[in-house]
Amino acid sequence: QQKVQQSPESLIVPEGGMASLNCTSSDRNVDYFWWYRQHSGKSPKMLMSIFSNGEKEEGRFTVHLNKASLHTSLHIRDSQPSDSALYLCAASYTNAYKVIFGKGTHLHVLP
Amino acid sequence: EAAVTQSPRSKVAVTGGKVTLSCHQTNNHDYMYWYRQDTGHGLRLIHYSYVADSTEKGDIPDGYKASRPSQENFSLILELASLSQTAVYFCASSDARQGYAEQFFGPGTRLTVL
């Protein structure tokens, strides 16, 4: 059974600070990693996806992927109170044609 | 932008009763999914479908049935609701099989079983 582990469970950063979130797959047959953001009381919305080793940047958001260690990380620079949300990592697997979500990281950005 | 709607948005049901949650998408997507979200569990897949009149079991299908009468509509049915099925339920759609395309989520249905 594939598992996706996220850490930390909760993260508090000051406004303007850097937030770093981590995600690891337990199964090597991972094809894609996805990051979704879910504000309180709302539905998840995709932030970014990555499937190649390296880094991908979109505005204040940067995603890193190390396929050898099955690890991805999401970094948010110049964090804003509006970034406060649950961040869900998901991994998709070739051999199962499915996506597994992690339990998420609660990010709190303090003004 | 992709549009997925769900009804009802909130539901209180009695134990042992039947509950039907409905989902409608106007994205022209082939793939539709039902997830449940519980505190501390992220999102867990209940059922999914990639074509009308066909459904597949996800990771936690026990106690749930699904129906896909058309490309646009996907329902989740709880024949005998139980306390443990209290959760928020999300429907989603995508234009490629799960994991190879962005999923677009509906607003969710908060189900409370008493």
Side-chain angles (χ1 to χ4, degrees), chain A residues 10-94:
Chain A
S10 183
L11 179 63
I12 299 174
V13 300
E15 183 174 357
M18 172 75 84
S20 295
L21 292 68
N22 299 293
C23 175
T24 304
S25 167
S26 65
D27 188 317
R28 302 207 70 82
N29 294 302
V30 58
D31 277 343
Y32 281 76
F33 280 100
W34 305 80
W35 286 95
Y36 284 80
R37 181 167 71 178
Q38 184 179 19
H39 287 107
S40 181
K42 303 295 186 182
S43 57
K45 286 185 169 49
M46 195 198 74
L47 266 180
M48 296 178 72
S49 62
I50 190 165
F51 63 93
S52 301
N53 268 332
E55 177 181 301
K56 185 176 176 181
E57 181 177 335
E58 291 182 6
R60 298 184 293 110
F61 299 86
T62 302
V63 173
H64 292 271
L65 175 60
N66 181 328
K67 272 202 160 182
S69 62
L70 308 177
H71 179 263
T72 180
S73 56
L74 172 67
H75 305 272
I76 308 171
R77 62 176 172 81
D78 189 25
S79 296
Q80 300 298 308
S82 58
D83 294 327
S84 296
L86 177 67
Y87 288 78
L88 294 163
C89 174
S92 57
Y93 298 91
T94 308

Side-chain angles (χ1 to χ4, degrees), chain B residues 37-100:
Chain B
Q37 186 173 40
D38 304 90
T39 303
H41 282 281
L43 290 168
R44 292 184 290 174
L45 182 65
I46 305 170
H47 285 288
Y48 66 99
S49 169
Y50 53 85
V51 68
D53 296 322
S54 177
T55 63
E56 306 291 333
K57 292 181 180 179
D59 296 319
I60 54 165
D62 293 345
Y64 302 94
K65 291 183 180 179
S67 173
R68 182 94 182 267
S70 64
Q71 187 196 39
E72 299 80 14
N73 296 293
F74 192 34
S75 297
L76 185 68
I77 303 139
L78 291 65
E79 295 278 2
L80 295 169
S82 67
L83 294 174
S84 64
Q85 293 176 313
T86 292
V88 178
Y89 292 83
F90 287 100
C91 176
S93 74
S94 67
D95 64 3
R97 66 182 182 213
Q98 192 181 32
Y100 294 87

